Every structure is written in C-alpha cells, then in structure tokens.
Amino acid sequence: MASQIVQDLLRRRVPQILGIYLAIGWGTLEFVDWLIGRFALSTLLADLSLVAWATMIPSVLLVAYFHGERGSQSWTRVEKTFVPANLLIAIALATSTMSRGGLGPDPAIVAAALDPTRIAVLYFDDESETQDLGHLASAFTGALIDELTQVSALDVVPRGSVKPYRDASVSMDIIVNAIAMGTLVEGSVSGNRERISLSAALIDPASQSTIESFTLDGPVEEWQDLREELAVEVANRLRRRLGVEVQLRERRAATGSAEALALVERGEQLREEAEQLEMAGDIEAARRALLRGDSLLERAETLDPAWVEPIVLRGWLAFDESNLENPTSDAFDREALIEALAHSERALQLAPDDAGALELHGSLLFRMSEAQEASDPTELLERAERDLSAAVAADPFRAHAWSTLSDLRRMGTRFAEARRDAERALEADPFLSEADVIVYRLFTTSLDLMDIDESMRWCDEGHRRFPDRDYFVACSLAIYSLSEGPVPEVGTLWALHDTLQRLSTPQAREQRRIVGAAWVAAALARAGYPDSARSVVERARADASGGLAPWIDYYAANVYLQAGDRDRALDLLGAFLAAIPQRKSYVASDWMFREVWEDPRFQELVSAEAQ
C-alpha cells in the first residue's frame, strides 16, 4: 500500500511541485531580506512573507495532488472548501504577526529582558559633503568602544561584532535582532576640511527611540582632542543613564509590591529635589521635601515589611536633614542623626548582611566620630570601618562606601590606604553617581601623600568635569597655600576667591569666603607679602564664629608659619586642637606643619596625653 501511495504521488508530480514551491519561496524570502537591508524596510515584511509561504504549503500539496497529472482537471469540492479556508488562516496569522510586531517573542518581554549595561557602538556615519571623513568616523568609533570597555560594569559588544553593520543602509531592526544589546550608541561626522562636527545619540533598542543626543564641534586639526572629548562625554552620559535603569531593575527584583516600589522611587526623587533646594539656599523647602519623602517611605515599609530599602533610604533622608545648615564637617543636627542611626539599626536587624544597611550604619558612625564633643572617637571609628568594609565586601560597587572608607582612613593618617580606597571608589562608580566627590577625595589623599603633581592633576580634572562645583576652585586655592605648591599671582588668588564664593551654596557662602581668605593669606605669605597675609587672616579669624572658628585657627597657623612666625603658628594650632582634640593624630602627620614636627611644643600639642 505504501508503494502504491508513493507511485500515486509521483504520477501526480506532487514532490516536484512541492519542491518548486519551496525553492521559489526560499528565493522570494532571500529577495525580501535584500530589499529590507537595501532600503531600510521593516523586518516585519520578512516575517509576513514567511508566514504566508509556510501557511499555504497544505494548499499547494492539495492542488498538486488533484492537478499534478497531465491533462485537464476540474476543481473538486474539497479544493473549493480547503484552499479558501487555508487562505483565511494565512490572513489571520499574518494579522496576528503584524499586531505582535513580528514572529519573535513579545516586544515587552524582550525589552524587559534586555540588559541595559550591554552596549553596542555602531560605526559612525560619514555625513560630510565630500564623504572624505570616513577615517575620522572610524577613529571616533574605536575611541568610544575603548573608553567604554574600561568600565568593568559594562559589557561592550566587540568591534568585530558590529563591523558587519557599518553600512548605513542596514536597518535598525536587523541590527537589533542580530546583536543582543540593551543600549545602542550611534553617531555621525560632518563638516569640511576646516571644521568637523560630531553627533552622538543613545538609543533604546526595544523602542528604537532616542534617549539622549548631543553634538560637539571644533577645528579639524584638533580632531584627536575631539575624539577624547567625545569618548568621555558619551561614556559619562551613558553611565549616568544606566545608573538609574540598573537601580530600578534591582528594586523591581527586590519587592513584589508595585505600590511600594513607586513610593520608594518618589522618595528618591524627593531626596534629589531636597539637594537642589539646599544648593539654592532654600533650607526650609529642602527640609519639607525630606519630610515628605520620609512619609512616603514609611508607607512603603508598611506595604512590604520584608523589603529593607525603604528603611535604608529613610536613614539617608534623616542623614541629609542632619547636615542642613551645617557647613562644617564636625557640626550636625544631633536629633536627626540619631533618627538616621535608628533606621540603620532597624535595617540591620531585618537584613544583617545587606550592603546598603551596612554602608548607612558605617557612614553614620563615622559622621558621629567627627563631632567636636567626641573627644575619643576610636570606638566609633573602629565600628564604622568594620561596617564599611563589610559593605564593600558584600557589594564591591558601593562607591559611596569606598569613598567614606577613604575619608575615614585619611583621618586615621593611613594616607596610602585612603588613596587606594578613593581609586577603588572611582572604579566602583560605573554610573557616576558620586564621581565629583570621589575625584575630590583623590585630590585630598594625593595631597596628604605630598604628591603635589597628582593632586594638581585631580584638581584640574575635577574643574574640567565639574566646573560648577565650588570645591574644585577651593582645591586650587588650597594648593597655592602650601609650601610645596606653585607660587601664584596675587590677582589670580582673589579671582579664585571670588569664583569660590559665586559657586558656593547660599548657606555655605560665608564659610567659603572666610576659609578662602585664609588660603589666600597663606599664598600671600608665600609670595612675599607677610604683612598683607597677617591682615587678611586676622580679618578672617574675626569673622569666624561657632564651629568654624577652630578651623580658621588651623588654617591661620599655616599662614603664620609661612610668614615666619613659628610661635604664633603653634599658639593657633594649640587653640585648634583644644577645641577639636580628635584631630591630633591627623595634625601630627600633616606635612603642612612639617617645619615644626621636631619642635617640642608641637610634639606636646599632638601627643595623646596632652589636654
């Protein structure tokens, strides 16, 4: 019977007709693929062609069976019923394919599965009129890939994987389907033989929409500088954007309550709003924003009691509140700080090994150790270091924890460790959430190690990357005030002093004016104007009050040392250490006072037993 069926099919030429249909269909699909690549058409056209071709195979087999023999045949009742039904099925499947956006998985599922930290950089297009900037387009592409590859938290698609798609005619659909990436970077080079312009854009491959774009331009002869600027700018913008996305994904994975997640996100936004309000000088509005955020997070705690992040974030909001209106490092709102500490301890009870809870608790203990009344901060510092070390062990990408560890070890005169911690902080901050503070930390730790060239490099780097931050003007004045620093022009000093005040927040402006004047005074003494230096620093001391007064004595001691008055310098240093005795170990290693290290009075001042 099987032999008879095979002979019947061969006699009716069913295999031959099916083979012809399959061959024509395959050729048609190849042609459609070419059209899509050539004219940047949607890959949906290929999906529809495949659906139509595959769905109609049963009809081809039926028609071949009844009409494959030579001679005339009439349409049978089976064919008249089956073929239209098959056609309707093909139309229905094609309609479903169009509504889904293609044959692949649901786009929403694909979008959710894409890892935003997997980056593909497409080769830049040459859009110059004469089409002779292709070599620069390739150079910019390579530099950008190299820059992003340095970030360990990013998974950058290798050049070889994107080379097949450097032809501008290849559609975005084909690239997205071929390369599994969560973020796409594309750009172009335009201009002429004198000036060039670079355009770059970050693309969301799921929606194929532009997330962010920008343009750089400059003379052709400076193309190498532009290449570096482009690489850094794209990398920074990309990392900032990814930080938000990655944090959101982690939060979604940590809680099953959509409402709690929304409340935490709003609480984070209010914290950012409070920071902006504080910088603008509206302290009361900043405090109200922090209190609103705390109220929302309290509700989030109720909705998901097992989720530790609302508790940790409440601790940070209270920590921020404790620092409002307190410009010096050793002054804070004690009641708010105790509240923050209570939140951190609740978080650790819920999740003893949680990196975020450990980071918060360690940061709060370190802050408390800086209080002027904390005459013996040793225990607090030890506990803080233990918590912060555990936090970075649990999560090596805790940049804030690394940065705080750096400051803690710096205060303990472990300067080499402090700089290594700051370097780890920069490496651990792939999304640039704290890059400005970390760069400044690298400046201070380099200065502690008497590495003037390195400290100047980080100061210049900070000023270039964060020109609106007052502390990168302050670092220039601080370097000029030191015996090993460059000798400035007097006009430069006062210009920096004015800029420092202009960039400072309203509540910190007076403090910056007074401290900045002390730095200017020391630089004037170094430049050969001791009388002017004394006049400037004594005005600063007269203007200082509260928690700032001891610190001006500290800086004034340097001024008098530069002016050649050792006794007056030691008197002022003694007043500083009497007010803030926990700074003795740091001052004992502070090379700003290297000239008097061997002086018996200095040794007595910094000894642990001295009262």
Coordinates of all heavy atoms in Angstrom, one line a residue, residues 143-200:
A143 N 37.7 54.9 19.5 CA 38.0 55.5 20.8 C 36.8 55.3 21.8 O 37.1 55.1 23.0 CB 38.2 57.0 20.5
L144 N 35.6 55.4 21.3 CA 34.5 55.3 22.1 C 34.3 53.9 22.7 O 34.1 53.7 23.9 CB 33.2 55.7 21.4 CG 31.9 55.7 22.2 CD1 32.0 56.5 23.5 CD2 30.7 56.2 21.4
I145 N 34.5 52.9 21.8 CA 34.5 51.5 22.3 C 35.6 51.2 23.3 O 35.3 50.6 24.3 CB 34.6 50.5 21.1 CG1 33.4 50.6 20.2 CG2 34.8 49.1 21.5 CD1 33.5 49.8 18.9
D146 N 36.8 51.8 23.1 CA 37.9 51.6 24.0 C 37.6 52.2 25.4 O 37.9 51.6 26.4 CB 39.2 52.2 23.4 CG 39.7 51.4 22.3 OD1 39.3 50.2 22.1 OD2 40.5 51.9 21.5
E147 N 37.0 53.4 25.3 CA 36.6 54.1 26.6 C 35.6 53.3 27.4 O 35.8 53.2 28.6 CB 36.1 55.5 26.3 CG 35.7 56.3 27.5 CD 36.8 56.8 28.3 OE1 37.9 56.9 27.9 OE2 36.5 57.1 29.5
L148 N 34.6 52.9 26.7 CA 33.5 52.1 27.4 C 34.0 50.8 27.9 O 33.6 50.3 29.0 CB 32.3 52.0 26.5 CG 31.6 53.2 26.1 CD1 30.4 52.9 25.2 CD2 31.1 54.0 27.3
T149 N 35.0 50.2 27.2 CA 35.5 48.9 27.6 C 36.2 49.0 28.9 O 36.3 48.0 29.7 CB 36.4 48.3 26.5 OG1 35.7 48.2 25.3 CG2 36.9 46.9 26.9
Q150 N 36.7 50.2 29.3 CA 37.5 50.3 30.5 C 36.6 50.2 31.8 O 37.0 50.0 32.9 CB 38.2 51.7 30.6 CG 39.1 51.9 29.4 CD 40.2 50.8 29.3 OE1 40.8 50.5 30.3 NE2 40.3 50.3 28.1
V151 N 35.2 50.4 31.6 CA 34.3 50.3 32.7 C 33.9 48.9 32.9 O 33.2 48.3 32.1 CB 33.0 51.2 32.4 CG1 32.1 51.2 33.6 CG2 33.4 52.6 32.0
S152 N 34.3 48.3 34.1 CA 34.2 46.9 34.3 C 32.7 46.5 34.4 O 32.3 45.4 34.1 CB 34.9 46.5 35.6 OG 34.4 47.2 36.7
A153 N 31.8 47.4 34.8 CA 30.4 47.1 35.0 C 29.6 47.1 33.6 O 28.5 46.7 33.6 CB 29.7 48.1 35.9
L154 N 30.3 47.5 32.5 CA 29.6 47.5 31.2 C 30.1 46.3 30.4 O 31.3 45.9 30.5 CB 29.9 48.8 30.5 CG 29.5 50.1 31.2 CD1 29.8 51.3 30.3 CD2 28.0 50.1 31.5
D155 N 29.2 45.7 29.6 CA 29.5 44.7 28.7 C 29.4 45.2 27.3 O 28.3 45.4 26.7 CB 28.5 43.5 28.9 CG 28.8 42.4 27.9 OD1 29.8 42.3 27.3 OD2 27.9 41.5 27.8
V156 N 30.6 45.6 26.7 CA 30.6 46.3 25.4 C 30.8 45.3 24.3 O 31.7 44.4 24.4 CB 31.8 47.3 25.4 CG1 31.8 48.1 24.1 CG2 31.6 48.3 26.6
V157 N 29.9 45.3 23.3 CA 30.0 44.4 22.2 C 31.3 44.7 21.4 O 31.6 45.9 21.1 CB 28.8 44.7 21.2 CG1 28.9 43.8 20.0 CG2 27.5 44.3 22.0
P158 N 32.1 43.7 21.1 CA 33.4 43.9 20.5 C 33.2 44.5 19.1 O 32.1 44.4 18.4 CB 34.0 42.5 20.4 CG 33.2 41.7 21.4 CD 31.9 42.3 21.5
R159 N 34.3 45.2 18.6 CA 34.2 45.8 17.3 C 33.9 44.8 16.2 O 33.1 45.2 15.3 CB 35.6 46.4 16.9 CG 36.0 47.6 17.8 CD 37.2 48.3 17.2 NE 38.0 49.0 18.2 CZ 39.0 49.8 18.0 NH1 39.3 50.1 16.7 NH2 39.6 50.4 18.9
G160 N 34.4 43.6 16.3 CA 34.2 42.6 15.2 C 32.7 42.3 15.1 O 32.3 42.0 14.0
S161 N 32.0 42.4 16.2 CA 30.5 42.0 16.1 C 29.7 43.1 15.5 O 28.6 42.9 15.0 CB 30.0 41.7 17.5 OG 30.7 40.6 18.1
V162 N 30.2 44.4 15.5 CA 29.4 45.5 14.9 C 29.9 45.8 13.5 O 29.2 46.6 12.8 CB 29.4 46.7 15.8 CG1 28.8 46.4 17.1 CG2 30.8 47.2 16.0
K163 N 31.1 45.3 13.1 CA 31.6 45.7 11.8 C 30.7 45.3 10.6 O 30.6 46.1 9.7 CB 33.0 45.0 11.6 CG 34.2 45.8 12.0 CD 35.5 45.2 11.6 CE 36.6 46.1 12.1 NZ 38.0 45.5 11.7
P164 N 30.0 44.1 10.7 CA 29.1 43.8 9.5 C 28.0 44.8 9.3 O 27.3 44.8 8.3 CB 28.6 42.4 10.0 CG 29.6 41.9 10.9 CD 30.1 43.0 11.6
Y165 N 27.8 45.7 10.3 CA 26.6 46.6 10.3 C 27.1 48.0 10.1 O 26.3 49.0 10.5 CB 25.7 46.4 11.5 CG 25.4 45.0 11.7 CD1 26.0 44.2 12.7 CD2 24.5 44.3 10.9 CE1 25.8 42.9 12.9 CE2 24.2 43.0 11.1 CZ 24.8 42.3 12.1 OH 24.6 40.9 12.3
R166 N 28.3 48.2 9.6 CA 28.8 49.6 9.4 C 28.2 50.3 8.2 O 28.3 51.5 8.1 CB 30.3 49.6 9.4 CG 30.9 48.9 8.2 CD 32.4 48.8 8.4 NE 33.1 50.1 8.6 CZ 34.3 50.3 8.9 NH1 35.1 49.2 9.1 NH2 34.8 51.5 9.1
D167 N 27.5 49.5 7.3 CA 26.9 50.0 6.1 C 25.6 50.8 6.6 O 24.8 50.2 7.3 CB 26.5 48.9 5.2 CG 25.9 49.4 3.9 OD1 25.6 50.6 3.8 OD2 25.8 48.7 2.9
A168 N 25.5 52.0 6.3 CA 24.4 52.8 6.7 C 23.0 52.3 6.2 O 22.0 52.7 6.7 CB 24.6 54.3 6.3
S169 N 23.0 51.5 5.1 CA 21.8 51.0 4.6 C 21.2 49.9 5.4 O 20.0 49.5 5.2 CB 22.0 50.5 3.1 OG 22.9 49.4 3.1
V170 N 21.9 49.3 6.3 CA 21.4 48.2 7.1 C 20.4 48.8 8.1 O 20.7 49.8 8.8 CB 22.5 47.5 7.9 CG1 21.9 46.4 8.8 CG2 23.5 46.9 6.9
S171 N 19.2 48.2 8.2 CA 18.1 48.8 9.0 C 18.4 48.5 10.5 O 19.1 47.5 10.9 CB 16.8 48.2 8.6 OG 16.7 46.8 9.1
M172 N 17.8 49.3 11.4 CA 17.9 49.1 12.8 C 17.4 47.8 13.3 O 17.9 47.2 14.2 CB 17.3 50.3 13.5 CG 17.4 50.3 15.0 SD 19.1 50.7 15.6 CE 19.1 52.4 15.2
D173 N 16.3 47.4 12.6 CA 15.6 46.1 13.0 C 16.6 44.9 12.9 O 16.7 44.1 13.7 CB 14.4 45.8 12.1 CG 13.2 46.7 12.5 OD1 13.1 47.0 13.7 OD2 12.4 47.1 11.7
I174 N 17.3 44.9 11.8 CA 18.3 43.8 11.5 C 19.4 43.8 12.6 O 19.8 42.8 13.1 CB 18.9 43.9 10.1 CG1 17.8 43.6 9.1 CG2 20.1 43.0 10.0 CD1 18.3 43.8 7.6
I175 N 19.9 45.0 12.9 CA 21.0 45.1 13.9 C 20.5 44.7 15.3 O 21.1 43.9 16.0 CB 21.5 46.6 14.0 CG1 22.1 47.0 12.6 CG2 22.5 46.8 15.1 CD1 22.4 48.5 12.5
V176 N 19.3 45.1 15.7 CA 18.7 44.8 17.0 C 18.5 43.3 17.1 O 18.8 42.7 18.1 CB 17.4 45.6 17.2 CG1 16.7 45.0 18.5 CG2 17.7 47.0 17.4
N177 N 18.0 42.7 16.0 CA 17.8 41.2 16.0 C 19.1 40.4 16.0 O 19.2 39.3 16.6 CB 17.0 40.8 14.8 CG 15.5 41.3 14.9 OD1 15.0 41.5 16.0 ND2 14.8 41.4 13.8
A178 N 20.1 41.0 15.4 CA 21.4 40.3 15.3 C 22.3 40.4 16.5 O 23.0 39.5 16.8 CB 22.1 40.8 14.0
I179 N 22.2 41.5 17.2 CA 23.1 41.8 18.4 C 22.2 42.0 19.6 O 21.4 42.9 19.6 CB 24.0 43.0 18.2 CG1 24.8 42.9 16.9 CG2 24.9 43.2 19.4 CD1 25.6 44.2 16.6
A180 N 22.3 41.1 20.6 CA 21.6 41.3 21.8 C 22.2 42.3 22.7 O 23.2 42.1 23.3 CB 21.5 39.9 22.5
M181 N 21.6 43.5 22.7 CA 22.2 44.6 23.5 C 21.0 45.4 24.1 O 19.9 45.4 23.6 CB 23.1 45.5 22.6 CG 22.4 46.7 22.0 SD 21.2 46.3 20.7 CE 22.3 46.0 19.4
G182 N 21.3 46.0 25.2 CA 20.3 46.8 25.9 C 20.4 48.3 25.6 O 19.5 49.0 25.9
T183 N 21.5 48.7 25.1 CA 21.7 50.1 24.8 C 22.5 50.2 23.5 O 23.5 49.5 23.4 CB 22.4 50.9 25.9 OG1 21.7 50.7 27.1 CG2 22.5 52.4 25.6
L184 N 22.1 51.1 22.6 CA 22.8 51.3 21.3 C 23.3 52.7 21.3 O 22.7 53.7 21.7 CB 21.8 51.0 20.2 CG 22.4 50.8 18.8 CD1 23.2 49.6 18.7 CD2 21.2 50.7 17.8
V185 N 24.6 52.9 20.8 CA 25.1 54.2 20.5 C 25.4 54.4 19.0 O 26.1 53.5 18.4 CB 26.4 54.4 21.3 CG1 27.0 55.8 21.1 CG2 26.2 54.1 22.8
E186 N 24.9 55.4 18.4 CA 25.2 55.7 17.0 C 25.6 57.1 16.9 O 25.3 58.0 17.8 CB 24.0 55.3 16.2 CG 22.8 56.2 16.4 CD 21.6 55.8 15.4 OE1 21.8 54.9 14.6 OE2 20.6 56.5 15.5
G187 N 26.2 57.5 15.8 CA 26.7 58.8 15.6 C 27.1 59.1 14.2 O 27.0 58.2 13.3
S188 N 27.5 60.3 14.0 CA 28.0 60.7 12.6 C 29.0 61.8 12.7 O 29.1 62.5 13.7 CB 26.8 61.2 11.8 OG 26.2 62.4 12.4
V189 N 29.8 62.0 11.6 CA 30.8 63.0 11.5 C 30.4 63.8 10.3 O 30.1 63.3 9.2 CB 32.2 62.4 11.3 CG1 33.2 63.6 11.2 CG2 32.5 61.5 12.4
S190 N 30.3 65.1 10.4 CA 30.1 66.0 9.3 C 31.0 67.2 9.3 O 31.7 67.4 10.3 CB 28.6 66.5 9.3 OG 28.3 67.2 10.5
G191 N 31.0 68.0 8.3 CA 31.8 69.2 8.2 C 32.6 69.3 6.9 O 32.2 68.7 5.9
N192 N 33.8 69.9 7.0 CA 34.6 70.1 5.8 C 36.1 70.0 6.2 O 36.4 69.5 7.3 CB 34.3 71.5 5.2 CG 34.3 72.6 6.2 OD1 35.3 72.7 7.1 ND2 33.3 73.5 6.2
R193 N 37.0 70.5 5.4 CA 38.4 70.4 5.7 C 38.9 71.3 6.8 O 40.0 71.2 7.3 CB 39.2 70.7 4.4 CG 39.0 69.7 3.3 CD 39.8 70.0 2.1 NE 39.6 69.0 1.1 CZ 40.3 69.0 -0.1 NH1 41.2 69.9 -0.4 NH2 40.1 68.0 -1.0
E194 N 38.0 72.2 7.2 CA 38.4 73.2 8.3 C 37.8 72.8 9.7 O 38.5 72.9 10.7 CB 38.0 74.6 7.9 CG 38.8 75.1 6.7 CD 38.4 76.5 6.3 OE1 37.5 77.1 7.0 OE2 39.0 77.0 5.3
R195 N 36.5 72.5 9.7 CA 35.8 72.2 10.9 C 35.0 70.9 10.8 O 34.5 70.6 9.7 CB 34.9 73.4 11.4 CG 35.6 74.6 11.7 CD 34.7 75.6 12.4 NE 34.2 75.2 13.7 CZ 34.9 75.4 14.8 NH1 36.0 75.9 14.8 NH2 34.3 74.9 16.0
I196 N 34.9 70.2 11.9 CA 34.1 69.0 11.9 C 33.1 69.0 13.0 O 33.3 69.7 14.0 CB 35.0 67.7 12.0 CG1 35.9 67.8 13.2 CG2 35.8 67.5 10.8 CD1 36.6 66.5 13.5
S197 N 32.0 68.3 12.9 CA 31.0 68.3 13.9 C 30.7 66.8 14.1 O 30.5 66.0 13.2 CB 29.7 69.0 13.4 OG 28.7 68.9 14.3
L198 N 30.6 66.5 15.4 CA 30.3 65.1 15.8 C 28.9 65.1 16.5 O 28.6 65.9 17.4 CB 31.3 64.6 16.9 CG 32.8 64.6 16.4 CD1 33.6 64.2 17.6 CD2 33.0 63.5 15.3
S199 N 28.1 64.2 16.0 CA 26.8 64.0 16.7 C 26.7 62.6 17.2 O 27.1 61.6 16.5 CB 25.6 64.2 15.7 OG 25.7 65.6 15.2
A200 N 26.2 62.4 18.4 CA 26.1 61.1 19.0 C 24.7 61.0 19.7 O 24.2 62.0 20.2 CB 27.2 60.8 20.0

